[in-house]
Amino acid sequence: MNTSAFILFLAIVALTLIITYYAAKKTNSTSEFYTAGGGLTGWQNGWAIAGDYMSAASFLGIAGTIALSGFDGFFYSIGFLVAYLVVLYLVAEPLRNLGKYTMADMIAARFNDNKIRGIAALNTITISIFYMIAQLVGAGSLIKLLLGLDYMTSVLIVGALMTVYVVFGGMRATSWVQITKAVLLMGGTFIVSLIVLAKFHFSITEMFDQMRTATPLKDSFLNPGNKYKVPLDTLSLNLALVLGTAGLPHILTRFFTVKDAPTARSSVVHATWLIGIFYIMTIFLGFGAAAFVGYDNILAADKGGNMAAPLLAKALGGDLFFAFISAVAFATILAVVTGLVLAAASAFAHDFYTHILRRGSATEKEQMRVARWASVGVAVVSIVLSLFAQKLNVAFLVSVAFAIAASANLPVILFTIFWRRFNTTGAVVGMLTGLLSALILVILSPSVWNPEPGKAILVGQALFPYANPGIISIPLGFIGALIGTWLSRPSDAAKYEEILVKAHTGLRL
């Protein structure tokens, strides 16, 4: 066991538990539990969004994918960053103006129908679990490498901690854990990037030249097509990444933690700058790992390449620096999983239990109790599923969650805001079509089926040729919403006018 790493791990855990302890004292209402009472400032929420978004997929998965596949790994960095333009210009302000605690609140502002709430809650829980599996896979691989614990024990440790943060501290604890993590991650990534650049004599040109011979891919390392050899597969991935963020429940929930829409917009601007700087630095992480750790060593540590960044830190700065970067990665995972658990628990308690089962009559005490038990339930399901996904790259797992979000949530969000004719049937059909098509195509994809044992979850021939379902499931989500609307009665035009004004101004007619 690495003693330095163990001490730093304990320090991270102690710091986050202290944050949770103080946050728990102020978490006495559903508003505090779901949205921290809407009291965060623009810069605070911006850092929290960045902390929520820069996940294990970013720090561990992207670095590993770039190191092993070259240019193709950078698709994730580009897609994750560009996605925030969609959020900034189309979603952030209307969502904040129309919603209260969850995405379903925004849709219910126009269509007050329990079917919509139920399906929106199902979407939120499904997306959150997929995203959480990626974080837990990264956590299991990281702690196994660093502390010598087996994968299952590692996953259980992270699962227990994330449940504690949410159950006792709610959104306030989650937000400050995410802010703390974002500061640590930006600082750690900057230090690694600076050392890598120094190894290349602070010359970007020299770095690119050396990468032509640093890996088994040789010159093709800098060209697309190493990982995604089929152009439509590449397009499918990028569609999911660019459009998916605007439908991610744990990101959308963050816009309810501020007082008004201008503050929500401000927080997106802050987050975009932070995220942009971070994703530029992933180039140095990936290139550095390929050059100074080596292709074979990365694969030997983890088949998915998820340990490339920590191994790079070890190669550059020895065991102490390795321990520090690993502890930062651990903080990254903790921060993201708490946001995911909270989003899923809020959807269950607020949308399903309070509005559907109790028809709006649940007391605050009841809601808080159900939300906390839901947090435990979501954590248990995610832990169990993550035990079967150990060999998968975490960046891929997150891209699947993005595809589901873009297919099931984004069409309904946009049509709710911008289409007068849109109605309840269109919302229901659109959400179900997007969700089911994405899930079915993932189950039939090469990521689940492969003729060679050990290459995927199951042995066999894939029926769907692409790793990411986005190129099919996203259009199907929009088409489902269109057909469902056209084949049913028009919505109330007067209600749409009210929603349009409120979505863009915050005013009520």
Side-chain angles (χ1 to χ4, degrees):
M1 180 182 289
N2 187 317
T3 305
S4 300
F6 185 66
I7 293 171
L8 285 169
F9 267 77
L10 290 180
I12 292 288
V13 171
L15 177 61
T16 52
L17 288 175
I18 290 169
I19 292 171
T20 303
Y21 172 75
Y22 283 102
K25 292 183 175 181
K26 298 182 179 181
T27 306
N28 299 313
S29 67
T30 52
S31 176
E32 283 289 339
F33 187 87
Y34 295 141
T35 63
L40 296 185
T41 64
W43 74 264
Q44 288 171 343
N45 198 40
W47 275 91
I49 289 172
D52 209 356
Y53 195 65
M54 297 184 300
S55 64
S58 303
F59 191 56
L60 301 178
I62 293 177
T65 306
I66 292 176
L68 297 178
S69 305
F71 184 89
D72 282 8
F74 195 55
F75 283 134
Y76 288 98
S77 297
I78 298 169
F80 286 155
L81 175 59
V82 173
Y84 263 88
L85 296 178
V86 179
V87 177
L88 177 62
Y89 289 111
L90 295 178
V91 174
E93 287 192 57
L95 184 79
R96 180 62 190 85
N97 284 330
L98 295 176
K100 184 179 181 183
Y101 295 144
T102 65
M103 184 198 78
D105 283 337
M106 187 206 96
I107 302 171
R110 182 172 176 186
F111 311 115
N112 191 16
D113 189 293
N114 281 339
K115 293 192 297 292
I116 290 178
R117 277 198 180 273
I119 298 169
L122 176 64
N123 288 350
T124 294
I125 293 168
T126 303
I127 294 165
S128 298
I129 287 175
F130 261 95
Y131 211 115
M132 211 177 316
I133 291 170
Q135 311 309 313
L136 293 174
V137 168
S141 302
L142 179 67
I143 299 176
K144 179 182 177 183
L145 175 68
L146 198 62
L147 302 182
L149 301 177
D150 64 77
Y151 178 81
M152 182 180 294
T153 303
S154 304
V155 168
L156 289 174
I157 289 172
V158 176
L161 285 171
M162 72 186 185
T163 308
V164 169
Y165 299 149
V166 174
V167 168
F168 294 103
M171 180 58 84
R172 190 175 296 278
T174 297
S175 297
W176 282 102
V177 167
Q178 288 166 345
I179 291 168
T180 304
K181 164 260 171 148
V183 172
L184 289 172
L185 183 61
M186 291 293 288
T189 306
F190 177 75
I191 293 169
V192 175
S193 300
L194 199 62
I195 296 174
V196 169
L197 195 55
K199 292 285 187 180
F200 293 107
H201 306 102
F202 294 99
S203 170
I204 300 291
T205 303
E206 181 179 336
M207 180 177 73
F208 275 80
D209 285 341
Q210 287 195 30
M211 294 313 299
R212 296 180 186 279
T213 57
T215 76
L217 296 173
K218 301 299 181 182
D219 283 344
S220 64
F221 183 84
L222 299 178
N223 299 322
N226 297 312
K227 182 176 178 64
Y228 300 103
K229 301 183 184 302
V230 181
L232 285 178
D233 206 0
T234 307
L235 177 61
S236 186
L237 169 68
N238 283 283
L239 277 174
L241 297 180
V242 171
L243 299 177
T245 300
L248 288 176
H250 67 294
I251 299 297
L252 299 180
T253 302
R254 294 233 54 91
F255 299 124
F256 303 127
T257 63
V258 296
K259 62 181 180 179
D260 52 31
T263 312
R265 183 175 65 245
S266 170
S267 63
V268 177
V269 173
H270 281 92
T272 304
W273 276 104
L274 292 168
I275 291 165
I277 294 168
F278 173 78
Y279 283 123
I280 289 172
M281 293 191 291
T282 59
I283 300 173
F284 301 104
L285 296 180
F287 280 20
F292 305 121
V293 178
Y295 185 92
D296 292 336
N297 291 331
I298 294 170
L299 283 179
D302 183 83
K303 294 296 184 184
N306 298 316
M307 292 299 101
L311 289 172
L312 172 62
K314 187 173 186 177
L316 297 177
D319 286 342
L320 185 61
F321 194 39
F322 171 57
F324 170 70
I325 293 300
S326 298
V328 169
F330 182 65
T332 296
I333 292 165
L334 287 179
V336 176
V337 292
T338 53
L340 291 164
V341 171
L342 185 58
S346 299
F348 182 87
H350 178 66
D351 296 321
F352 184 72
Y353 178 79
T354 301
H355 284 89
I356 297 176
L357 292 183
R358 301 283 285 130
R359 299 187 179 278
S361 63
T363 64
E364 290 221 343
K365 187 176 180 180
E366 277 184 272
Q367 286 193 62
M368 293 280 285
R369 184 176 65 252
V370 171
R372 284 169 169 152
W373 278 111
S375 302
V376 175
V378 169
V380 169
V381 171
S382 301
I383 289 169
V384 171
L385 292 176
S386 68
L387 298 178
F388 297 95
Q390 181 178 356
K391 296 179 181 178
L392 298 179
N393 181 274
V394 293
F396 157 72
L397 289 169
V398 166
S399 72
V400 172
F402 273 66
I404 297 172
S407 307
N409 286 347
L410 183 61
V412 175
I413 291 172
L414 295 181
F415 286 155
T416 295
I417 301 168
F418 298 110
W419 190 18
R420 183 189 305 272
R421 175 76 165 76
F422 194 46
N423 59 23
T424 301
T425 304
V428 170
V429 174
M431 285 192 288
L432 286 177
T433 302
L435 175 64
L436 294 176
S437 62
L439 289 176
I440 291 169
L441 292 175
V442 167
I443 292 170
L444 300 177
S445 76
S447 301
V448 175
W449 296 91
N450 194 292
E452 296 182 42
K455 291 283 187 179
I457 298 173
L458 300 173
V459 178
Q461 190 64 45
L463 298 178
F464 180 68
Y466 308 130
N468 192 287
I471 195 168
I472 302 297
S473 61
I474 295 172
L476 283 178
F478 280 95
I479 291 169
L482 288 167
I483 292 176
T485 299
W486 287 333
L487 295 181
S488 55
R489 289 186 298 177
S491 62
D492 185 347
K495 182 69 172 178
Y496 174 73
E497 297 294 343
E498 177 186 340
I499 290 298
L500 187 66
V501 172
K502 186 179 177 183
H504 294 288
T505 66
L507 299 174
R508 294 179 182 272
L509 292 179

